[in-house]
């Protein structure tokens, strides 16, 4: 055996070297495979944690919007114009039925104003008021939903970073709430979310004024007895939307209207908004009406940048398409089906008088704001472009987030 080894020493050494190298390489490969497997497991856990947090955040957005609808409802239905107009019509009807009967006393100056109008004028005003209220409700819930998505995803992103970078637990064990105030102090978070007060008490009124102007310009000349088909109603609503959503009211080709002016106050009114919204304001928060706190300042500036972005305008327009589609389907649900080409000469109604749409519009307003379950909020929560936009905001971990 020893003579065999001596004769083939070089071959034995070479074979031994190859075997040792193969053993070392195999051991290294096994170690790397274990490390890669562990890293892949951690990556999957981190991705699953991020997905869980994001989905929970979107549910929070929906619940937050629903919790704010009663405030919007109180503001929207505080205007009793429609009820006063109906009361004025009833007074005229009673007077025509029994001219000798004493008229009931007028409740206030507004009632007296509408009582002085003719029957046709009252009906025309009722038409404008009912459609204005319906369209204002549609714009309001859409803008409120979009704004809440932006706010809560900005907040959720910072809470996620806070938990991942400052929680010693494994990624798969991280809770859905942050554990420190490193990125977003709780008081700053509360102040940032308080800015929704502005739209709920100021912005929606400005939106309502713009909607009324558009409704008057489009529906003002439409007679109440005119027969309206589903297609015509769709065209009328589309024309109103173009006027509302175009920056130049007289030029439908203008760029999109900047709805962000309804969502956040101007910088000089930021402190006032916090105070009116019930947030605690200390002297370090800001001066001259403008917020100075660096974290809150950054959140507000980023919020404004998002609202100013063309993508936000497109997402809002797409979301409006969704809620307007639902409302239009309800308005046209009982309209006669247009005759086919074969039946074109058949004598059958193809529309309904405009006047018959007024009570439907009035009823729909309550569904948009107070519906339980609320199909409009449900549709917005499922709206794909809005979800994708929220994903972009939530996952945008730029350098300033980890300074």
């Amino acid at each position: 055996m020893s003579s065999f080894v001596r004769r083939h020493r070089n071959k034995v050494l070479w074979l031994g070297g190859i075997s040792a190298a193969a053993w070392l390489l195999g051991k290294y490969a096994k170690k790397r495979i274990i490390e890669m497997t562990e890293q892949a497991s951690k990556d999957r856990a981190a991705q699953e944690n991020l997905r869980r947090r994001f989905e929970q955040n979107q549910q929070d957005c929906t619940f937050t919007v629903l919790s704010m609808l009663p405030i919007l409802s109180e503001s929207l239905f505080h205007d009793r114009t429609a009820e006063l107009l109906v009361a004025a019509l009833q007074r005229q009807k009673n007077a025509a039925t029994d001219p000798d009967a004493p008229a009931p006393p007028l409740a206030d100056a507004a009632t007296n104003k509408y009582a002085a109008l003719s029957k046709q004028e009252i009906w025309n005003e009722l038409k404008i008021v009912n459609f204005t209220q319906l369209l204002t409700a549609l714009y309001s819930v859409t803008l409120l939903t979009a704004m809440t998505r932006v706010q809560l995803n900005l907040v959720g992103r910072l809470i996620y970073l806070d938990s991942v970078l400052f929680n010693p637990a494994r990624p798969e064990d991280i809770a859905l709430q942050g554990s420190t105030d490193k990125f977003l102090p709780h008081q700053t978070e509360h102040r940032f979310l308080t800015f929704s007060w502005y739209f709920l008490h100021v912005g929606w009124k400005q939106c309502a004024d713009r909607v009324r102007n558009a409704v008057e310009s489009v529906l003002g000349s439409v007679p109440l007895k005119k027969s309206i088909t589903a297609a015509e109603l769709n065209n009328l609503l589309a024309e109103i939307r173009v006027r509302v959503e175009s920056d130049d009211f007289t030029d439908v080709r203008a760029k999109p209207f900047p709805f962000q002016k309804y969502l956040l106050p101007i910088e000089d009114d930021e402190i006032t908004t916090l105070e009116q919204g019930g947030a605690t304001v200390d002297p370090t928060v800001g001066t001259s009406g403008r917020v100075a706190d660096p974290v809150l300042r950054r959140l507000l500036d980023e919020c404004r940048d998002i609202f100013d972005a063309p993508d936000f305008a497109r997402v809002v327009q797409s979301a409006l398409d969704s809620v307007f589609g639902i409302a239009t389907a309800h308005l046209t649900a009982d309209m006669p089906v247009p005759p086919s080409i074969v039946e074109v000469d058949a004598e059958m109604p193809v529309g309904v008088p405009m006047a018959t749409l007024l009570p439907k519009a009035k009823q729909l307003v309550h569904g948009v704001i107070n519906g339980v379950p609320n199909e409009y909020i449900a549709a917005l929560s499922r709206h794909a472009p809005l979800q994708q936009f929220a994903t972009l905001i939530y996952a945008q971990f730029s350098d300033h987030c980890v300074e």
Side-chain angles (χ1 to χ4, degrees):
M1 183 67 180
S2 59
S3 61
F4 176 81
V5 171
R6 283 196 300 271
R7 289 196 307 270
H8 300 281
R9 181 177 59 183
N10 292 338
K11 293 180 180 180
V12 170
L13 292 175
W14 181 81
L15 182 60
I18 293 295
S19 300
W23 180 80
L24 291 174
L25 184 62
K27 186 175 182 179
Y28 173 77
K30 181 179 179 181
K31 179 181 178 181
R32 289 294 298 157
I33 290 174
I34 293 174
E35 290 176 350
M36 292 173 62
T37 302
E38 291 177 348
Q39 185 61 44
S41 177
K42 290 180 180 179
D43 290 343
R44 285 194 299 271
Q47 292 174 359
E48 176 63 19
N49 177 57
L50 180 60
R51 183 191 63 80
R52 285 190 305 117
R53 283 175 166 272
F54 176 75
E55 291 179 352
Q56 180 64 53
N57 204 52
Q58 306 324 299
Q59 293 178 17
D60 291 344
C61 290
T62 300
F63 293 139
T64 301
V65 171
L66 289 172
S67 70
M68 290 189 289
L69 285 184
I71 302 174
L72 185 61
S73 174
E74 182 179 356
S75 300
L76 189 62
F77 293 117
H78 180 73
D79 184 359
R80 297 176 52 246
T81 301
E83 287 76 10
L84 295 176
L85 289 168
V86 172
L89 283 174
Q90 188 62 44
R91 284 173 58 85
Q92 291 191 1
K93 180 179 179 181
N94 293 340
T97 303
D98 188 0
D100 297 329
L106 297 176
D108 50 38
T111 308
N112 184 53
K113 179 182 70 172
Y114 296 127
L117 299 178
S118 68
K119 182 178 180 180
Q120 182 177 356
E121 290 173 333
I122 294 175
W123 273 107
N124 283 329
E125 178 65 15
L126 193 60
K127 173 184 62 179
I128 300 300
V129 168
N130 282 356
F131 274 96
T132 295
Q133 201 171 43
L134 172 59
L135 270 57
T136 297
L138 294 174
Y139 277 103
S140 295
V141 297
T142 303
L143 291 174
L144 182 62
T145 299
M147 179 183 68
T148 303
R149 286 291 179 105
V150 172
Q151 283 186 305
L152 291 190
N153 279 286
L154 288 175
V155 168
R157 181 178 69 187
L158 293 180
I159 292 177
Y160 173 76
L161 287 172
D162 177 61
S163 292
V164 169
L165 298 180
F166 296 96
N167 192 323
R170 293 181 303 166
E172 61 269 25
D173 295 332
I174 294 174
L176 290 175
Q177 298 297 325
S179 59
T180 74
D181 284 347
K182 174 65 178 177
F183 286 137
L184 185 63
H186 295 303
Q187 192 173 35
T188 301
E189 176 186 351
H190 173 68
R191 286 171 179 161
F192 177 57
L193 297 179
T194 298
F195 277 90
S196 60
W197 179 94
Y198 182 80
F199 177 76
L200 291 171
H201 294 84
V202 179
W204 83 269
K205 295 180 182 178
Q206 299 171 344
C207 182
D209 291 339
R210 184 173 182 84
V211 170
R212 179 177 175 108
N213 289 335
V215 171
E216 284 181 334
S217 66
V218 175
L219 297 184
S221 60
V222 178
L224 287 164
K225 294 182 180 180
K226 176 180 173 57
S227 181
I228 301 293
T229 65
E232 289 172 336
L233 180 62
N234 273 295
N235 291 336
L236 290 171
L237 294 178
E239 188 175 350
I240 293 172
R241 283 192 60 189
V242 167
R243 293 176 181 272
V244 173
E245 297 166 32
S246 296
D247 193 19
D248 188 340
F249 189 80
T250 61
D251 184 3
V252 296
R253 298 167 297 180
K255 62 182 180 179
F257 177 76
F259 283 110
Q260 61 268 24
K261 65 174 62 177
Y262 299 156
L263 303 179
L264 287 174
I266 61 174
E267 291 188 358
D268 289 342
D269 289 340
E270 289 174 347
I271 301 300
T272 301
T273 299
L274 287 175
E275 292 173 341
Q276 293 177 334
T280 303
V281 181
D282 57 62
T284 63
V285 172
T287 57
S288 302
R290 185 178 185 271
V291 165
D293 174 69
V295 179
L296 183 55
R297 179 76 266 151
R298 181 184 299 156
L299 283 169
L300 289 173
D301 289 344
E302 187 171 4
C303 209
R304 284 194 172 90
D305 290 341
I306 292 173
F307 291 157
D308 288 338
D311 285 345
F312 180 77
R314 285 191 287 268
V315 167
V316 168
Q317 187 176 48
S318 175
L320 287 169
D321 291 342
S322 178
V323 295
F324 267 83
I326 297 173
T328 304
H330 285 303
L331 284 172
T332 60
D334 298 329
M335 286 187 174
V337 178
S340 64
I341 297 177
V342 178
E343 302 169 326
V344 72
D345 294 329
E347 294 184 0
M348 63 179 298
V350 293
V352 297
M354 170 61 79
T356 64
L357 297 176
L358 304 191
K360 280 189 175 184
K362 182 66 177 177
Q363 183 181 12
L364 277 180
V365 178
H366 292 277
V368 175
I369 302 296
N370 300 321
V372 179
N374 193 312
E375 60 181 319
Y376 298 88
I377 300 300
L380 289 172
S381 68
R382 298 189 303 267
H383 193 58
L386 197 56
Q387 291 180 339
Q388 294 163 2
F389 191 67
T391 303
L392 290 176
I393 296 173
Y394 194 88
Q396 190 176 3
F397 302 117
S398 54
D399 292 339
H400 76 272
C401 293
V402 292
E403 290 177 353

